[in-house]
Amino acid sequence: MSWFESFVLGLVQGLTEFLPISSSAHLRLTAAFAGWHDPGAAFTAITQIGTEAAVLIYFRKDIARIVSAWFRSLTNSAMRSDHDAQMGWLVIIGSLPIGVLGLAFKDQIEGPFRDLRLIATTLIVLGIVLGIADRLAARDETGGKHRAIKERKSLKELGVKDGLIFGFCQAMALVPGVSRSGATISGGLLMGYTREAAARYSFLLAIPAVLASGVFELKDAGEGHVSWGPTIFATVIAFAVGYAVIAWFMKFITTKSFMPFVIYRVLLGILLFVLIGAGVLSPHAGESAG
């Protein structure tokens, strides 16, 4: 991998990680369209450490409060009813599904799941799911001629059951094209949470999973055509760009609909099917050399 490739892929990772359009799919597609080797699951996991570092800094006050309350709750029973302490446990519980399934399907994640036809399918299907969830949220928030405005849930109402459902939604992102934020936000909206609550928990929930995955894949960073230098460079780029994107996205979702992302996902999925069907793009582009 050249330094230019690592710069572009780091930029793509930072731009797409927090948007509901799938960063892993866009890294795969960028390489395929440019005629580069597939950067691989290890490169993707490690560059995600950069974007998660952006989450740690952006939500540093929330994270510090949650971690402090959680540790105090281990020895102080009165703290166990504290919302921040409970949030710490819920992040742990919600991280279990992706941890278990990630280890169970590791070979598929690094191989068959990277087929561009599967990516095109997940882009379209999850785009439609996100669109339905967004419409339901908008209906509750605005009401209608014969419908009163319905109060949506905040994170203070999050419990173990919903935390696990969020966790299984996040685990779907093991398949490129699904999108970690897209799946968890869709799940949150369908369970009746506000856009801001679903997005916030989505970002907090991703921290243990992404950091663990990135550390686990460190051993493979120097194998194949991807070396340590370009990988670290791409991770730094992903961090800088990712921080700007997350700040913008958290403001965007408070007043805007997810429909632009829904339309983008569906159109990109259709385009992929057209290009593959026409023989312009191989569903395994770059894989043999990756």
Side-chain angles (χ1 to χ4, degrees), residues 101-181:
L101 294 174
L103 290 174
F105 293 97
K106 184 178 185 297
D107 292 339
Q108 288 80 5
I109 294 167
E110 296 179 349
F113 284 3
R114 301 184 73 78
D115 188 304
L116 295 182
R117 290 166 296 190
L118 178 59
I119 291 175
T121 301
T122 54
L123 282 169
I124 294 171
V125 172
L126 262 294
I128 294 172
V129 171
L130 178 61
I132 293 171
D134 186 66
R135 291 294 296 173
L136 291 174
R139 186 182 66 181
D140 289 346
E141 293 165 357
T142 60
K145 186 175 180 181
H146 304 291
R147 187 184 298 111
I149 293 175
K150 181 179 178 182
E151 188 73 20
R152 295 210 130 221
K153 294 188 285 188
S154 70
L155 287 184
K156 290 185 177 181
E157 298 169 78
L158 182 66
V160 173
K161 177 184 175 182
D162 286 358
L164 278 173
I165 293 175
F166 266 114
F168 278 105
C169 289
Q170 176 181 239
M172 293 172 62
L174 291 169
V175 182
V178 170
S179 169
R180 186 189 311 277
S181 64

Side-chain angles (χ1 to χ4, degrees), residues 3-286:
W3 290 98
F4 177 70
E5 287 179 45
S6 67
F7 171 79
V8 173
L9 293 174
L11 184 64
V12 170
Q13 168 63 28
L15 286 171
T16 59
E17 173 66 19
F18 303 115
L19 305 180
I21 56 176
S22 179
S23 61
S24 57
H26 279 75
L27 288 174
R28 176 80 176 87
L29 293 175
T30 299
F33 282 126
W36 301 336
H37 299 328
D38 179 0
F43 177 86
T44 300
I46 294 169
T47 54
Q48 284 177 336
I49 293 177
T51 45
E52 284 313 300
V55 173
L56 291 173
I57 293 176
Y58 186 85
F59 291 110
R60 60 190 180 279
K61 293 181 180 179
D62 290 3
I63 294 170
R65 194 176 62 248
I66 290 170
V67 171
S68 174
W70 182 80
F71 272 111
R72 282 183 288 153
S73 73
L74 296 178
T75 56
N76 184 351
S77 59
M79 282 294 300
R80 291 167 192 169
S81 60
D82 181 82
H83 171 67
D84 289 326
Q86 292 175 347
M87 183 60 67
W89 285 111
L90 289 170
V91 169
I92 293 172
I93 291 170
S95 299
L96 295 177
I98 197 170
V100 173
L101 294 174
L103 290 174
F105 293 97
K106 184 178 185 297
D107 292 339
Q108 288 80 5
I109 294 167
E110 296 179 349
F113 284 3
R114 301 184 73 78
D115 188 304
L116 295 182
R117 290 166 296 190
L118 178 59
I119 291 175
T121 301
T122 54
L123 282 169
I124 294 171
V125 172
L126 262 294
I128 294 172
V129 171
L130 178 61
I132 293 171
D134 186 66
R135 291 294 296 173
L136 291 174
R139 186 182 66 181
D140 289 346
E141 293 165 357
T142 60
K145 186 175 180 181
H146 304 291
R147 187 184 298 111
I149 293 175
K150 181 179 178 182
E151 188 73 20
R152 295 210 130 221
K153 294 188 285 188
S154 70
L155 287 184
K156 290 185 177 181
E157 298 169 78
L158 182 66
V160 173
K161 177 184 175 182
D162 286 358
L164 278 173
I165 293 175
F166 266 114
F168 278 105
C169 289
Q170 176 181 239
M172 293 172 62
L174 291 169
V175 182
V178 170
S179 169
R180 186 189 311 277
S181 64
T184 50
I185 290 173
S186 295
L189 293 178
L190 290 172
M191 286 189 288
Y193 288 88
T194 65
R195 289 185 177 90
E196 194 274 339
R200 185 172 291 268
Y201 185 61
S202 168
F203 293 153
L204 293 175
L205 189 61
I207 294 172
V210 172
L211 293 181
S213 175
V215 171
F216 181 77
E217 295 287 1
L218 284 175
K219 66 183 188 308
D220 298 326
E223 297 182 359
H225 72 285
V226 182
S227 58
W228 268 107
T231 300
I232 294 174
F233 180 55
T235 302
V236 173
I237 296 297
F239 162 74
V241 177
Y243 186 87
V245 171
I246 193 173
W248 171 82
F249 186 64
M250 291 305 294
K251 293 179 181 177
F252 175 88
I253 60 174
T254 58
T255 58
K256 305 294 184 182
S257 164
F258 286 116
M259 289 310 295
F261 303 112
V262 172
I263 294 170
Y264 173 78
R265 288 181 64 103
V266 173
L267 291 179
L268 179 58
I270 292 173
L271 176 62
L272 278 177
F273 274 126
V274 170
L275 293 176
I276 293 170
V280 175
L281 191 65
S282 167
H284 305 287

